[in-house]
């Protein structure tokens, strides 16, 4: 079997697995499949000799590991971007509490609150905190710009709800 035949044969399987891993994010799905096919090309001398089930198992295992690596890297990047120095800006809206209130929240509490958000809200908030515009966030998450705005709005509301009581209690204890 030649590599081109191999790639054509396994691409639909890889796309199905990547769709399950990446959800509606078509760009991430396509990038993941291309990454795995490139890795297979680089290892083709070895893979060529393997059995059909062995190749398929290797492809799926490598894809799963690459996906987990990407998730870990994104989580690390988000951790570095979301911090107490910019949380009041990330939560700014007309009804947002005063910035001093957010000084009463620890970074660990903030990151825990962000981590607890549903996936779409969390990724939207993280990407926004990296400075991306709604259109770019939408492209990355495979969602319309209006949906991105809605997700960001709901992420902010949920974070305010989770953190407001902690911050107000801590501020009262600090001033009393």
């Amino acid at each position: 079997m030649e590599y081109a035949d191999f790639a054509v044969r396994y691409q639909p399987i890889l796309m199905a697995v990547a769709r399950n891993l990446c959800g509606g994010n078509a760009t991430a799905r396509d990038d993941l499949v291309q990454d795995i096919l490139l890795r297979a090309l680089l290892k083709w001398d070895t893979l060529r000799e393997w059995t059909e089930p062995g190749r398929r198992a290797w492809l799926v295992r490598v894809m799963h590991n690459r996906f987990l690596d990407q998730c870990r890297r994104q989580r690390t990047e988000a951790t570095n971007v979301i911090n107490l120095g910019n949380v009041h800006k990330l939560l700014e809206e007309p009804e947002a509490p005063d910035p001093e209130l957010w000084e009463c929240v620890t970074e660990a509490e903030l990151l825990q609150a962000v981590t607890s958000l549903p996936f779409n809200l969390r990724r939207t908030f993280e990407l926004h905190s990296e400075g991306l515009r709604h259109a770019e966030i939408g492209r990355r998450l495979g969602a319309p710009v209006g949906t991105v705005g809605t997700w960001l709005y709901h992420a902010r509301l949920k974070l305010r709800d989770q953190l407001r009581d902690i911050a107000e209690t801590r501020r009262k204890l600090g001033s009393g």
Side-chain angles (χ1 to χ4, degrees):
M1 175 181 277
E2 293 300 317
Y3 175 77
D5 296 330
F6 166 84
V8 167
R9 181 178 186 154
Y10 282 99
Q11 187 171 11
I13 295 167
L14 293 173
M15 289 298 267
V17 173
R19 191 175 303 111
N20 286 333
L21 293 171
C22 300
N25 188 340
T27 303
R29 179 193 67 218
D30 294 345
D31 289 348
L32 186 58
V33 169
Q34 291 305 312
D35 181 34
I36 300 312
L37 287 174
L38 175 62
R39 288 171 185 276
L41 176 61
L42 296 173
K43 191 177 172 74
W44 183 241
D45 288 339
T46 305
L47 285 175
R48 165 187 292 155
E49 307 300 322
W50 290 12
T51 64
E52 197 76 24
R55 285 187 204 135
R56 189 173 31 252
W58 182 86
L59 288 168
V60 172
R61 186 181 71 249
V62 170
M63 178 175 278
H64 186 258
N65 290 341
R66 289 295 298 152
F67 177 75
L68 291 176
D69 289 345
Q70 290 171 357
C71 290
R72 286 183 199 108
R73 186 172 50 251
Q74 288 172 349
R75 186 173 40 230
T76 300
E77 290 168 0
T79 300
N80 293 334
V81 174
I82 300 170
N83 59 52
L84 292 177
N86 68 4
V87 69
H88 68 280
K89 287 183 178 180
L90 297 173
L91 295 170
E92 276 178 2
E93 286 190 5
E95 72 275 6
D98 54 286
E100 298 83 40
L101 185 59
W102 298 113
E103 294 172 4
C104 299
V105 175
T106 67
E107 286 198 33
E109 291 164 338
L110 170 63
L111 293 175
Q112 182 180 3
V114 170
T115 302
S116 73
L117 291 172
F119 176 78
N120 287 337
L121 301 185
R122 185 183 78 244
R123 284 303 297 145
T124 301
F125 188 81
E126 291 168 347
L127 293 170
H128 177 68
S129 72
E130 293 172 18
L132 289 139
R133 297 186 177 273
H134 289 180
E136 176 61 18
I137 295 169
R139 188 185 69 70
R140 289 189 182 192
L141 297 180
V145 173
T147 301
V148 169
T150 301
W151 286 344
L152 187 56
Y153 174 79
H154 287 288
R156 288 170 170 160
L157 285 179
K158 286 183 179 292
L159 289 172
R160 269 195 299 249
D161 288 347
Q162 288 183 45
L163 297 171
R164 178 179 277 127
D165 289 342
I166 294 169
E168 287 176 348
T169 301
R170 198 165 285 139
R171 182 165 66 176
K172 285 176 189 171
L173 291 173
S175 65

